[in-house]
Amino acid sequence: MADEQKELQALSDDYQNLQTELQSTVQARQKLGAQEEENKGVQKEFTKLADDAGIYKLVGPVLLKQDNVEATMAVDGRLDYITKEMSAIVRYLRVSAVSAKYCQKTGRRPDCRNSEAK
C-alpha cells in the first residue's frame, strides 16, 4: 500500500512539473508571437518609406538616426530569429505531447524510464 502511495505521489509530482513546464513554454510561444507581429508591422512600414526617408531608433531618452539598410537588416534578423525559436518551441510541444501520450498509455511515469506503474 505504501509503495502504491509513493508511486501515485511521484506520478502526481511529475504531472505538476510537466504542467508548469508546458505553461512556461506556451507563454514563451505567445511572447514570441507578439514580437513577430510587431516586427512584421515595422517591416511593412519600412516598405512604405521612400529611399531617402530617415529611420530613427529610440535608445533610452534619445532618438538616434539609423541607416535604412542597417535598420531593415536588423528587423529581418529579428524576424528570422523569432521564426526559428517559434519552430523549436512547436517541435518541443509536439514531442512532449507524443511522449506524454505514450507514457500515459504504457502506464509509465512521464520520463518513461521507470518500470510499469503498479
Side-chain angles (χ1 to χ4, degrees):
M1 182 72 170
D3 288 341
E4 290 177 3
Q5 185 66 28
K6 286 181 183 178
E7 181 67 21
L8 287 174
Q9 183 61 46
L11 287 169
S12 177
D13 292 345
D14 288 342
Y15 179 75
Q16 289 176 346
N17 290 338
L18 284 173
Q19 286 297 104
T20 301
E21 188 177 320
L22 176 64
Q23 185 177 17
S24 297
T25 305
V26 168
Q27 287 174 346
R29 166 68 174 85
Q30 290 172 338
K31 183 178 176 182
L32 285 171
Q35 290 175 350
E36 180 184 40
E37 289 304 313
E38 181 180 339
N39 280 279
K40 283 183 178 181
V42 171
Q43 191 178 46
K44 186 177 179 181
E45 291 297 318
F46 281 175
T47 62
K48 296 177 183 179
L49 293 176
D51 291 337
D52 60 343
I55 296 177
Y56 294 86
K57 179 179 184 177
L58 184 63
V59 179
V62 179
L63 284 175
L64 298 176
K65 187 168 175 75
Q66 265 193 313
D67 180 57
N68 291 11
V69 174
E70 180 183 328
T72 303
M73 287 177 54
V75 171
D76 291 345
R78 281 194 302 269
L79 280 170
D80 185 48
Y81 171 78
I82 289 168
T83 301
K84 288 178 183 177
E85 287 296 305
M86 286 175 53
S87 294
I89 288 174
V90 168
R91 279 193 306 275
Y92 174 78
L93 289 172
R94 285 181 184 154
V95 167
S96 295
V98 168
S99 296
K101 285 181 183 179
Y102 170 78
C103 293
Q104 186 178 25
K105 285 182 180 180
T106 62
R108 295 180 182 185
R109 289 179 53 188
D111 63 8
C112 292
R113 290 179 291 219
N114 297 325
S115 61
E116 296 278 333
K118 295 178 181 176

